Structure formats: structure tokens, C-alpha cells
């Protein structure tokens, strides 16, 4: 098994993507057929068996760009819509993931728009054990309007945005969403990458137009 896959099969047929019956396919599809990336393989294995084996526990999942040289356990690179689809299928059933993050830019460049929408709306949004959301060094305009079902998750208590690109429109949408998150305990947002300190759960690194 190679570290980096030799395919970038972006699925552009939205109808075929929607019609994928993962419940049927999982019985006949090996993890080797789901991904050629070794670390992605480990993540999919952990998610597949987190109901079964104690050592399959995966408390942290991060989507990363392929430019991130040092990967840790839980760092998943979506090389294709197919891989993102399988990840989402297992994520929505996970009982172990407590933290979800996005690190880097152009993470979804090999994935169709529809596959990204399905991941956030239909899969991650159903992961009911999430406690912490972290975004770092990414362009939030790519995902901010896809997070509706995730922000409605009643278990999230911590939200961090660090060194990210965030426009005024996206920021206003995000803050309107935060007002509806009743059990959110800590919110930290730093758009400039400075060492601004968090005050009452929110740092003051934002423009007045955004606040």
C-alpha cells in the first residue's frame, strides 16, 4: 500500500453520488478498495470497528490538505470524492469522535461539491458525540455555509478558529449561528495569527464590521 494514492477520481455525477448505497457496498468492499492512503486506511478501519474493538477508538478527526507534511493519527486527506464518501459514511455512525478539525487550504480540490455537501450535511451533522470543532489555516468561505447541521449539534461545547480567512458575510453568518448554540462554553477566533488572548471565551482579533 503506498502512502499517496495514484488516483484523483473526482466524481462530478451528482446523481450517482447521491444514489450510492453504502450500506450495501460495505459488505463487499474492503478498506483497501476505499483508499490507497495508509493513514486514511487506519482511520477508516478505526471508524468501521469503533463499536467493536477498544483499540479502534478514534477521539480526533482532522481533514488536512496534502501540503501538510507531518500527519498524526486522525489526519485524513480526502484524495477523492470516493474517499470522502466512505469517511462520511463511517463518521455519522461513530461513537468515539469527540473532536473534528480542518487544517490547511484546498482540502477538497479533488472532491466534487456534492460530495463535500453530503459530508457536512448528511454525515458530520449526524455525529452526535462531537464536543470540539477546530479550524486552522484554512479558508472558511469554502465550508462556512455547509456547517448548518453541525452547529445544530447539541453536544458541541468548544469552537476554535485560528489563522483562517473569513470574510464579513461569513463571519456574520457564523456569529448568528453561535447565538443559537446554547451549551457553547468556549469560543476562540483569531484571524490574523497573532497571540491575542482569549477574553471571556472570545478574543478581540476581529474587525468592528464583523462584530
Amino acid at each position: 500500500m503506498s502512502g499517496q494514492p495514484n488516483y484523483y477520481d473526482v466524481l462530478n455525477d451528482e446523481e450517482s453520488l447521491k444514489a450510492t448505497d453504502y450500506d450495501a457496498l460495505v459488505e463487499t468492499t474492503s478498506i483497501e478498495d476505499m483508499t490507497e492512503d495508509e493513514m486514511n486506511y487506519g482511520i477508516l478501519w478505526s471508524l468501521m470497528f469503533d463499536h467493536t474493538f477498544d483499540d479502534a477508538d478514534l477521539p480526533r478527526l482532522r481533514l488536512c490538505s496534502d501540503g501538510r507534511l507531518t500527519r498524526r493519527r486522525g489526519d485524513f486527506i480526502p484524495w477523492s470524492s470516493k474517499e470522502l464518501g466512505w469517511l462520511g459514511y463511517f463518521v455519522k455512525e461513530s461513537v468515539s469522535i469527540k473532536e473534528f478539525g480542518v487544517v490547511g487550504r484546498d482540502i477538497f480540490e479533488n472532491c466534487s461539491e456534492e460530495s463535500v455537501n453530503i459530508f457536512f450535511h448528511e454525515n458530520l451533522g449526524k455525529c452526535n458525540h462531537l464536543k470540539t470543532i477546530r479550524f486552522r489555516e484554512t479558508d472558511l468561505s469554502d465550508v462556512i455555509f455547509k456547517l448548518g447541521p453541525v452547529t445544530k449539534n447539541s453536544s458541541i461545547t468548544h469552537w476554535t478558529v485560528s489563522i483562517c480567512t473569513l470574510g464579513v458575510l461569513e463571519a456574520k453568518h457564523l456569529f448568528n449561528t453561535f447565538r443559537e448554540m446554547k451549551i457553547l462554553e468556549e469560543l476562540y477566533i483569531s484571524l490574523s495569527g497573532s497571540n491575542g488572548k482569549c477574553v471571556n471565551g472570545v478574543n478581540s482579533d476581529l474587525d468592528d464590521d464583523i462584530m
Side-chain angles (χ1 to χ4, degrees), residues 169-202:
L169 181 62
E170 291 85 3
K172 288 181 176 179
H173 174 79
L174 193 58
F175 274 92
N176 286 335
T177 301
F178 288 146
R179 294 189 182 99
E180 301 175 2
M181 299 177 69
K182 304 301 182 184
I183 67 168
L184 190 65
E185 297 174 3
E186 183 179 59
L187 170 63
Y188 183 87
I189 298 180
S190 174
L191 304 184
S192 67
S194 69
N195 293 321
K197 293 184 178 180
C198 187
V199 180
N200 293 328
V202 184

Side-chain angles (χ1 to χ4, degrees), residues 3 5 10 17 25 40 68 70 79 82-83 90 98 106 113 120 136 143 145 158 168 171 191 198 211:
V10 179
L17 189 65
L25 287 175
N40 288 1
R68 186 174 182 80
T70 303
W79 296 104
K82 179 184 73 173
E83 285 185 79
F90 293 119
K98 302 297 188 297
D106 300 321
E113 182 74 12
F120 283 104
R136 182 176 178 83
V143 299
F145 296 108
H158 294 76
V168 172
L191 304 184
C198 187
M211 299 297 288

